Amino acid sequence: MGVTCVSQMPVAEGKSVQQTVELLTRKLEMLGAEKQGTFCVDCETYHTAASTLGSQGQAGKLMYVMHNSEYPLSCFALFENGPCLVADTNFDVLMVKLKGFFQSAKASKIETRGTRYQYCDFLVKVGTVTMGPSARGISVEVEYGPCVVASDCWSLLLEFLQSFLGSHTPGAPAVFGNRHDAIYSPADTMVQYMELFNKIRKQQQVPVAGIR
């Protein structure tokens, strides 16, 4: 596990999501990147059950339960602006038992799927973000394997991102600033995906269904 940057690639003008994905992957292949299987990251949103809020008009909290095919035995539970819990896959079963406290938000499932590419020390994943049957956007994840401290390799990551994203190259992820010289972890990647999915939801004006 190296240092990873997750970003959104805008859909090219006059192109569909799928056509833009194909343009990106073609660029990677021209650079010399080789296909290495597929990947999937998914996220389901839960909100605090009405019965736990009391009568003081408290706002419900959102929790995001996520999976990443790179870590098939793990499940990640994230609170917005809060901690990230890493558990085993039985956590999904636990959420069913906790339905008195957390309820699954309607139509909240969002995921990205696509192809993994290896280029020297970089692992690149270009995915199509979907909600239900509809393609909503494009995710780009780049991991630099030999390094585990973000501040030591961001300039190298940035240079590589610029080689195939051009003017759409992202700035440093917020999670990098929060971590400074700390060891990068898979949870940091999942925080970036949570932020990406929420950004795409807002762009599509599909709010997470709350308590009715």
Side-chain angles (χ1 to χ4, degrees), residues 94-112:
L94 180 62
M95 288 307 297
V96 175
K97 295 183 178 180
L98 289 175
K99 61 185 178 183
F101 300 93
F102 287 98
Q103 295 175 349
S104 178
K106 295 175 184 175
S108 71
K109 182 76 176 283
I110 184 169
E111 68 176 27
T112 182

